[in-house]
Amino acid sequence: ARGSVRERLSRFHRSVKWLWSTEGVTIEVTQEDADLINKALEMDEFRKTNGERYAETSKRKINNVLKNWFEFKNVDWNPPYEFSGEGRQKENTADPFTKHELKNLWEVSLTYKSIPNYNNLCPDGRDRWRAYIAQEIGVPKNKVQPSHWKKVSSWKIPSLIRTTRSQGWRPDLISRLRVDWYDNETNTIYIPSGEAPKNNADWRVELSGEGAHALDKWLEQRESMQKYDGRKEIWLTREGNPYGSGTLNYLLRDLMEEAGINTRGRKLVWYSFRHSVGTYVYHEYNCLKMVADQLRQKSRDSASMYVHPLPEQKKEAANLM
């Protein structure tokens, strides 16, 4: 993601500036230079611009950027000091939905912001809905016809929810998914190398029958909407922008409210779909390899961060006492 790129460049620039201030200006960063930076972090000699020490988590991130640099250069670098840090990535701090909540979110998505039938509205009601439809399909208000009412019975949100519920899409990936990556004959989405966040390998995603049906319906409707003309993204916001974490979480809060889902102290965000996939796949198959494959994680350790105890297991544990 662009935000991740900016953060990594910033850390790399800070490292190079420290190196220049202590060793002199250079146009290349060698393994020996990286060792000096790494040691300075360990000794708290490499600090923030305000003189404060870097937290362990920040040291780990700077270390990782240096590792990325040498991976890019096809050079092996093993830092003398490793930093663990106790902070976890935002996506690993979410809680999963219950199965009942997942079912409710899907059902609510099917009627999300649906509109009354044209013939059931009074003139004033039609005028208000006409303005809404004009905004939704991207045509002037005076051009909206009764036939447009059918086009706004949209499959956009159901297709987004149903495919994410099965695959645990990250927000960054949702913004990148393209129409031409989808093969409706095999119900498969092919994600080219380098396009998936945090993974550079080719990726073939087989959709469930329900997910493929919802996506097929949406892509049919999508063709009639002007804001998608010349655009390849599968889903766009009402303003014509790719979805991001903010807009997806805003949508999710709306759906949760309509579905009557109470957080009850849990952190329920878009990444909760991903944690739900990890949790229920693991408890069905008792296999972290299955979780890693489903979520495209590189290791079982990474996959384990998406696995949570089921509510009934927590009750059993409480009863043991």
Side-chain angles (χ1 to χ4, degrees):
R2 291 183 179 182
S4 299
V5 172
R6 285 194 296 270
E7 290 174 1
R8 288 178 182 240
L9 283 174
S10 175
R11 294 185 190 110
F12 189 76
H13 287 163
R14 276 179 272 157
S15 302
V16 172
K17 286 180 179 179
W18 179 89
L19 184 66
W20 285 5
S21 68
T22 57
E23 302 297 315
V25 175
T26 176
I27 59 171
E28 184 59 87
V29 178
T30 66
Q31 292 150 293
E32 291 75 19
D33 293 331
D35 287 344
L36 289 173
I37 296 169
N38 177 258
K39 183 178 180 181
L41 286 170
E42 169 67 18
M43 303 300 292
D44 287 325
E45 295 171 356
F46 178 10
R47 299 192 176 203
K48 300 179 183 179
T49 54
N50 61 5
E52 294 181 1
R53 295 182 177 89
Y54 280 110
E56 193 79 1
T57 301
S58 298
K59 293 178 180 180
R60 174 176 55 81
K61 290 178 178 179
I62 293 173
N63 236 25
N64 288 342
V65 165
L66 294 172
K67 289 178 182 178
N68 292 156
W69 168 256
F70 289 109
E71 288 172 0
F72 171 70
K73 303 289 285 184
N74 290 320
V75 174
D76 291 327
W77 178 63
N78 297 309
Y81 303 98
E82 293 282 4
F83 310 102
S84 58
E86 296 182 356
R88 295 192 299 168
Q89 295 179 2
K90 291 180 181 179
E91 66 184 77
N92 294 329
T93 61
D95 293 301
F97 294 107
T98 67
K99 287 187 176 180
H100 182 67
E101 288 169 342
L102 290 170
K103 179 182 178 182
N104 284 352
L105 285 171
W106 162 241
E107 291 177 349
V108 164
S109 75
L110 292 169
T111 56
Y112 181 69
K113 291 189 176 179
S114 62
I115 65 172
N117 186 282
Y118 177 87
N119 294 323
N120 294 336
L121 291 168
C122 65
D124 287 342
R126 289 176 184 174
D127 187 68
R128 287 195 299 270
W129 282 109
R130 186 174 282 110
Y132 174 83
I133 293 171
Q135 189 176 25
E136 282 290 300
I137 66 177
V139 301
K141 182 179 175 182
N142 61 0
K143 297 292 185 181
V144 174
Q145 302 296 323
S147 60
H148 289 129
W149 257 252
K150 295 180 180 179
K151 296 180 181 179
V152 184
S153 301
S154 180
W155 280 87
K156 182 176 83 169
I157 302 306
S159 64
L160 180 55
I161 292 297
R162 190 60 186 85
T163 55
T164 301
R165 195 181 83 172
S166 299
Q167 306 301 329
W169 304 128
R170 288 186 172 100
D172 285 346
L173 182 57
I174 288 174
S175 69
R176 302 182 194 190
L177 288 175
R178 294 165 53 104
V179 174
D180 53 334
W181 293 353
Y182 176 57
D183 183 349
N184 63 353
E185 293 184 1
T186 60
N187 296 344
T188 301
I189 293 179
Y190 167 70
I191 302 170
S193 173
E195 291 292 344
K198 303 187 178 184
N199 201 305
N200 291 324
D202 291 342
W203 183 11
R204 298 187 71 86
V205 180
E206 295 183 3
L207 301 181
S208 66
E210 198 172 55
H213 174 74
L215 187 56
D216 287 338
K217 288 287 189 180
W218 162 237
L219 292 179
E220 288 177 11
Q221 294 177 342
R222 182 185 177 281
E223 292 182 2
S224 64
M225 298 186 176
Q226 288 186 346
K227 71 179 175 184
Y228 285 93
D229 290 348
R231 302 293 294 268
K232 294 295 185 180
E233 298 94 338
I234 292 180
W235 299 286
L236 294 174
T237 66
R238 183 181 298 177
E239 292 75 24
N241 300 316
Y243 277 96
S245 293
T247 47
L248 288 170
N249 283 325
Y250 181 84
L251 167 64
L252 180 61
R253 285 193 294 270
D254 263 8
L255 293 172
M256 287 171 57
E257 184 176 347
E258 289 199 23
I261 296 174
N262 191 320
T263 60
R264 295 185 176 87
R266 297 171 296 164
K267 184 179 180 181
L268 297 180
V269 293
W270 196 264
Y271 273 111
S272 293
F273 286 112
R274 192 165 178 81
H275 286 257
S276 301
V277 172
T279 295
Y280 293 112
V281 168
Y282 178 76
H283 288 289
E284 179 69 24
Y285 298 101
N286 193 29
C287 177
L288 280 175
K289 179 65 167 58
M290 287 284 291
V291 177
D293 288 347
Q294 187 72 11
L295 296 179
R296 289 293 284 179
Q297 293 297 131
K298 293 182 179 180
S299 69
R300 290 178 174 85
D301 285 343
S302 297
S304 68
M305 292 186 286
Y306 295 95
V307 177
H308 301 256
L310 295 176
E312 51 267 33
Q313 291 177 320
K314 292 182 179 180
K315 289 182 181 179
E316 290 175 5
N319 290 332
L320 288 176
M321 305 307 295

